[in-house]
Structures are given as C-alpha cells and as structure tokens.
Amino acid sequence: MKLPVIGQTSAGAAGGGCSASACGSSGEQLGHLPEAIRAKVQDHPCYSEDAHHFFARMHVAVAPACNIQCHYCNRKYDCANESRPGVVSELLTPDQAVLKTKAVAAAIPQMSVLGIAGPGDPLANPQRTFETFRRLSAEAPDIKLCVSTNGLALPESVDELARHNIDHVTITINCLDPAIGARIYPWIFWQNRRVFGIEAARILIEQQQKGLEMLTARGILVKVNSVMIPGVNDRHLKEVSRVVKAKGAFLHNVMPLIAEAEHGTFYGLTGQRGPTAAELQELQDACAGDMNMMRHCRQCRADAVGLLGEDRGEEFTLEKIAAMEIDYDKAMQLRAEVRAGITAALNARRAEREQAAAAPTRTAGPAELRSIRIAVASSGQGLVNQHFGHAREFLVYEASNAGVRFLAPRKTDLYCAGDDSCGDGESALERTISALSDCEVVLCSKIGFEPWGRLEAAGIAPNGEHAMEEIEEACAAVYRELAAAGALAAPPGETNRAA
Ligand code: CLF
Ligand code: SF4
C-alpha cells in the first residue's frame, strides 16, 4: 500500500500559502493555487519546498548600507535578517553583479532566482539595488527577481519594485508590538535623524505593515521572515503569523536567532540564546495553524550561489568570471531546456501526489503506531543520493501512519573531507550524532564501517538500501518496514503525533 505524502499546502490553508509549504512542506500541492501564482512559485527554491531540491538561487551583494540596527546584527557582517550571521560577502557594483549573474546563469542552468539580500538592506541602497534589477530584467528576463528587506523604506519603494517585475519580496517582521520591538531594534534612521526605542520600533512596524499591504494589493508575493528570539518575541510570533496572513502574506519563515559572542552582536555579547530545534519546530507548528510555514530555509549568505544548502560562490569570484568564455545565446537555450525538463518532472510528481491525497490510504498497521524521525543525506533532486560522510546537512522528515512530512534541515560538520585522514572526522561524527539524536534512521547512499557502528550504538539505524530513491518514498518505505517488523508500537499513553 502506498504511503501518501502529507502536503501542508492544503486547499484550506492555501489562502496565504507561503510556499512554505511552498516554502516548506513536503509533498506540497500547488494545484489549488491560481495559475498566475502557481507559475510564480513553482520554480522558486524558497517559495516551494519541492522546487528547492532542483532549482538554485543566487544572491548578489550590492547593498552595503542599512537604515536600522538589529540587536542580532554586527555591521561587519551580512544582514542577519536573511543571512547567517558571521559571514562577509564581497561587495559588488551593479555592473559586476550583472556580469556575475549572467556567468552563473550560464554555468548553472537550473538557477531560477536572483535575490538581493544584503549585506545591508537592499532598499536602503535604492540606486544600486534598482540599477541591478533594471539591467537584469532587460538582459536576463528568464530569471525571477527577489528582494529581502527590513521594511523601513518599503512603502516608498513599492512602485519601483513593481516597475521592475519583482514578484517576490521578503519582509523581516519580528513583532507588531513596539514594546517588543524596542528590545530588538535599538534605533532606526528615519527622515534624516536617528530615532530610538519604542518610537523607532513603532515607525518600523508601521512601515512594514504598510509595505506588506501595498505589495499584496499589487499582487506581489510576500514572504515574511521572523527571527525567533526566546524570551523576547517567541510568544508573540503566532500573532504575527495570524496578522500577516490576514494581510495576504504568502509564506511565513520563522528562523532561529543565531547569537554567538564571537559575532560581536548585542545579543551575542549579552548571552541571549537562540531557540532549540524543538522550540523552533513547536513554534512553526503553532503558527502553521494560521498559515503555511517555510521550513527549508538555510539562512544563506548575501552572496550565496547554488541550491539552498550549498554554496558555490567560490566558483564565481570576479577573477574567475573574467577568465570564463561564455556563449550566452547557447546558455539561454540550454537554460530553457533544462528548466522545462525539471518543471515537467516536478509537475508530474505533484500531480501524482495530488491524486494520492485525493484518495488517501493508510500505511499498513493501526493508527496508534508512533511516528518516527528520519534523517536523509541528499545532494539535491529530491533523492537519497549522498554519502553519509559527504553530508554537510541532513534533511529531517517525520514519518507516521498518516504520511511523511519535512521538518527541517540540520546542519552538521563534514565527517569525511575526501582524503584519507578524514580530518576532524571523529569530533565531527560526534556532533552529527548529537544533531540527529531525535532521529531513529539515517538514509544515505553509502556509509562507512566506523560511522555505521557509532550510529547504531547511539540508537540511530543507518540505512543505505534506499539509495537513489525519492526521499518521501524512501521514508515511507522505511516506515512500512518498521511497522511490519512490529517496531512502531506506541508506548502506552503516546499517540501518533502526525496522525
Ligand atoms: Fe534569496 Fe530570500 Fe529571495 Fe530566497 S533566500 S532573497 S527568498 S532567493 Fe531563501 Fe535563503 Fe532562507 Fe532567504 S533559503 S535565507 S528564505
Ligand atoms: Fe543588520 Fe539587516 Fe538588521 Fe540592517 S536590517 S541591522 S543589515 S540585520
């Protein structure tokens, strides 16, 4: 019997839609969306969880300045609203950004989206940002344009965004309450002066909400990012989700605060902690009642290139690009062919899932079987196709009698560096085992003897038998196998979480 894959984008939840599912659900179903919206999200790796296995994005770091201060940001580094803190991007001029984008487009035909996400706030650098967008919309029309902002300058930028066909805008909204905002934003720069405290937060919140309303009124898809800060806004974010959904946001991405003292941020230096994986998931699940959630965000850097979770930026430095010989006409043709092929395959897969969802069947076994978590090593294509030792992250899925759903990516350290030494492999393996401690199975294409034994000793079953299978199908198969073996009886009092 085939295990159906749960899609979080149900018809009922679709109103907002964040590709969270879009941006974040396993087995998302886009069929209920109007054709125009479906076309906007189906090949956007952040707005469609399915698409992120296949389509790549790139960022160009053209925006150095910022008009606010966040307590989780150190200006030496990239904008932490949409990026991992603690990394620095190479600043580009618009000319260099266009050159780089075209080079990447030629080399990575599945690159479908160009985003500007820093290193400061793109809309606080309007000339540089819009010059880049203007040229790219003319010179590379098959690339979707995307921008991420703190929202302060958004209302005055909406017309310009619409003029350049920017269909995807992310606003970081951490709160609706200025008293909470004052604990996140010490100041903003507004109308040629610095404004502090609650007044600053009030202005920022008003601008964000106004910008959100203006964008959705124009049919531009809005994703809302929120940084979860335990003890500051964690209890408040469910309300944020509800309100932004009501105003037409398509997707909500709750990201964990990353605050390390070595990043030199206010939160890092004052000991503010980030959420645990369990706390983050609990909040995402709570918000999901109100709207679709993005769960596959990688908090990528402001010059990221490649599939989410991989960073090929080093292949495209200005020096390397200058040495490349690129036939753009040929590249455009190849891009069209590759992308059409991926889209057709994805649509076929989605249609299959929609059919399965329309006639749901249960897996073998009674409903009281417990759910399990499965970690998957994948290098893309939605397949179990990565060697355990080569994984820098694992995708964690929950399998239950009701289906399979994606929960989150988990970053780990590389266990095997590819040489004989395996470098820091020993402690990297310990950290990986610790990061996956809530999982019962690890699916990968291959695994060495040593990690196999260590995983087993930690109560995590390594499994290479589903190599090259589709991830959800493989998880479902493992669940059925365990159910058939009688390994999934729920302890007394525990119900199946996902059923
Ligand atoms: Fe970039 Fe952001 Fe556009 Fe995506 S990233 S500007 S919407 S193209 Fe995506 Fe990266 Fe998460 Fe951002 S995974 S950090 S959500
Ligand atoms: Fe830093 Fe981004 Fe906040 Fe500006 S908006 S202070 S760049 S995190």
Side-chain angles (χ1 to χ4, degrees):
M1 202 180 298
K2 186 170 168 142
L3 185 74
V5 175
I6 301 170
Q8 292 199 315
T9 313
S10 65
C18 236
S19 56
S21 323
C23 241
S25 74
S26 298
E28 66 192 356
Q29 296 151 31
L30 303 180
H32 61 281
L33 294 173
E35 184 51 39
I37 295 188
R38 189 181 162 128
K40 283 181 187 174
V41 301
Q42 66 183 0
D43 60 355
H44 193 306
C46 302
Y47 281 68
S48 163
E49 195 256 319
D50 263 358
H52 100 281
H53 295 296
F54 299 90
F55 287 107
R57 55 75 185 100
M58 70 174 288
H59 290 164
V60 285
V62 295
C66 190
N67 47 8
I68 70 171
Q69 178 64 57
C70 305
H71 273 326
Y72 44 74
C73 179
N74 177 343
R75 295 305 177 80
K76 276 197 306 199
Y77 303 126
D78 288 356
C79 175
N81 277 331
E82 174 104 344
S83 308
R84 238 180 5 260
V87 293
V88 189
S89 297
E90 180 187 29
L91 190 66
L92 302 178
T93 64
D95 275 350
Q96 291 168 330
V98 170
L99 196 68
K100 179 172 178 177
T101 305
K102 289 164 82 174
V104 172
I108 307 179
Q110 64 274 35
M111 191 274 283
S112 58
V113 176
L114 179 284
I116 300 182
D121 185 77
L123 301 184
N125 302 263
Q127 276 93 4
R128 298 172 67 98
T129 294
F130 287 117
E131 171 66 4
T132 306
F133 281 146
R134 185 188 64 71
R135 287 200 42 202
L136 284 174
S137 61
E139 296 175 38
D142 68 332
I143 298 176
K144 286 187 195 317
L145 303 177
C146 192
V147 68
S148 172
T149 176
N150 62 41
L152 183 64
L154 184 53
E156 73 207 45
S157 309
V158 167
D159 285 342
E160 188 95 23
L161 289 166
R163 203 170 304 133
H164 296 295
N165 296 325
I166 289 140
D167 275 339
H168 301 82
V169 176
T170 295
I171 315 171
T172 297
I173 299 180
N174 292 322
C175 59
L176 305 168
D177 177 346
I180 294 176
R183 298 174 63 196
I184 302 171
Y185 310 104
W187 56 261
I188 64 170
F189 196 71
W190 176 245
Q191 295 177 341
N192 300 318
R193 70 190 175 98
R194 209 167 273 213
V195 181
F196 298 86
I198 288 188
E199 176 63 1
R202 185 189 60 73
I203 294 167
L204 177 62
I205 291 165
E206 275 176 17
Q207 290 291 100
Q208 291 170 338
Q209 296 299 311
K210 191 171 164 195
L212 167 61
E213 289 162 20
M214 291 172 73
L215 289 169
T216 56
R218 281 169 172 74
I220 295 174
L221 291 187
V222 179
K223 171 167 74 64
V224 169
N225 279 1
S226 299
V227 181
M228 180 183 180
I229 311 161
V232 176
N233 70 347
D234 49 341
R235 288 162 183 254
H236 178 59
L237 285 178
K238 202 173 162 206
E239 175 66 1
V240 171
S241 235
R242 192 189 63 74
V243 169
V244 299
K245 179 194 175 186
K247 292 189 176 178
F250 185 76
L251 181 65
H252 192 192
N253 175 23
V254 178
M255 313 189 299
L257 171 74
I258 302 173
E260 307 292 343
E262 60 265 33
H263 297 154
T265 63
F266 175 84
Y267 282 152
L269 294 171
T270 55
Q272 170 65 52
R273 73 173 179 93
T276 63
E279 287 170 334
L280 180 67
Q281 194 199 320
E282 193 181 331
L283 178 59
Q284 287 173 334
D285 287 347
C287 293
D290 291 312
M291 75 183 294
N292 294 311
M293 305 301 294
M294 177 177 189
R295 295 175 196 259
H296 63 279
C297 177
R298 305 303 206 276
Q299 291 175 276
C300 34
R301 47 189 289 170
D303 60 359
V305 174
L307 292 173
L308 301 193
E310 73 176 6
D311 194 353
R312 297 178 57 182
E314 278 302 302
E315 296 171 40
F316 301 96
T317 59
L318 292 174
E319 201 184 338
K320 286 181 182 162
I321 289 169
M324 290 177 184
E325 280 184 25
I326 300 166
D327 180 338
Y328 285 110
D329 290 338
K330 215 167 152 191
M332 288 296 278
Q333 197 183 333
L334 177 66
R335 284 176 60 74
E337 286 166 14
V338 168
R339 292 177 55 177
I342 296 173
T343 302
L346 263 175
N347 284 343
R349 187 195 273 199
R350 285 170 179 146
E352 221 178 79
R353 284 179 177 155
E354 280 165 19
Q355 243 181 347
T361 52
R362 285 200 167 265
T363 339
E368 62 270 19
L369 291 182
R370 66 188 173 85
S371 59
I372 60 165
R373 290 185 182 178
I374 300 174
V376 180
S378 173
S379 59
Q381 319 298 312
L383 302 176
V384 180
N385 59 359
Q386 195 169 37
H387 191 298
F388 176 87
H390 298 166
R392 290 182 184 275
E393 66 171 18
F394 288 83
L395 305 178
V396 176
Y397 286 77
E398 182 178 69
S400 76
N401 204 33
V404 175
R405 69 170 182 144
F406 176 68
L407 293 183
R410 294 267 172 85
K411 287 212 174 301
T412 56
D413 294 321
L414 199 60
Y415 168 59
C416 180
D419 53 23
D420 288 339
S421 69
C422 276
D424 186 28
E426 183 63 17
S427 52
L429 182 55
E430 273 165 30
R431 288 192 290 274
T432 298
I433 289 173
S434 164
L436 304 181
S437 59
D438 58 338
C439 299
E440 294 181 41
V441 179
V442 170
L443 290 177
C444 52
S445 61
K446 278 186 180 173
I447 182 168
F449 183 74
E450 167 70 14
W452 179 288
R454 295 278 297 278
L455 281 167
E456 273 196 331
I460 305 171
N463 185 326
E465 287 169 22
H466 295 274
M468 301 313 292
E469 290 181 17
E470 274 190 27
I471 292 171
E472 286 91 351
E473 294 294 330
C475 290
V478 166
Y479 190 79
R480 283 195 301 270
E481 288 156 18
L482 291 172
L488 298 179
E494 185 183 308
T495 54
N496 187 332
R497 273 175 287 168

